[in-house]
Amino acid sequence: MKIAVICANGKAGQLIVKEAVNRGFDVTAVVKDENKSAAQNAIVKDLFNLTAADLAGFDVVVDAFGAWTPETLNQHSTSLKHICDVLSRTDTRLLVVGGAGSLYVNAEHTACVSDGADFPEIFKPLANAMAKALRELRERNDVKWTYISPAGDFQADGERTGKYILAGEELTLNSKGESIISYADYAVAMVDEIEKGGHIGQRISVVRE
């Protein structure tokens, strides 16, 4: 299986690449400059300049894009739209590294994590930008997409346990009442989804056991 990881030099991207390489997949890093990941191959190109020819032949494309500054938050939408346009009407699957703020906290799916009174104000613009990108993604029926939200506490330097709970659209707690997952365990879940691929056109979520 041939996998391309966009923004492979980021923290999540590097761990997803490492997990996929360790399982024997043919992985290509898509990076703006020098490849710092464990990928065997690299496409050195800004993601906004990617073409259909660049991504032709891949079974799966992972979008690990991230933006945090106020002036770049809209790129969550514009970057995802560009990648979708490039992959439109192909058999290549698109797996998106998502956010937790848009996970629902009620059965009616009318309230999200980011709506909560205890949700930090500093993260609301990011959560809103990522939620907007997800809403736009849901409207695409020309791309075989899967959006994977992490748990609420997404720990960049947490340990790799290799164990997680696969959940759906709602914020899910583990047996300890926690919503937590490390980037490393998220990478395990991402590569498991690449292998099994049963959630086309769906948003799923993962939490540490």
Side-chain angles (χ1 to χ4, degrees), residues 46-52 55 77-88 140:
D46 188 291
L47 77 84
F48 287 98
N49 295 327
L50 288 172
T51 66
L55 298 182
S77 282
T78 56
S79 66
L80 190 51
K81 179 183 185 301
H82 179 70
I83 295 166
C84 285
D85 289 347
V86 168
L87 296 178
S88 179
R140 305 288 300 231

Side-chain angles (χ1 to χ4, degrees), residues 152-182:
D153 186 1
F154 197 19
Q155 298 190 330
D157 300 316
E159 67 174 330
R160 182 192 185 281
T161 69
K163 298 177 181 178
Y164 63 90
I165 299 163
L166 179 63
E169 295 260 23
E170 295 169 22
L171 183 73
T172 301
L173 305 181
N174 62 19
S175 59
K176 298 176 183 176
E178 303 168 325
S179 174
I180 185 173
I181 196 163
S182 66

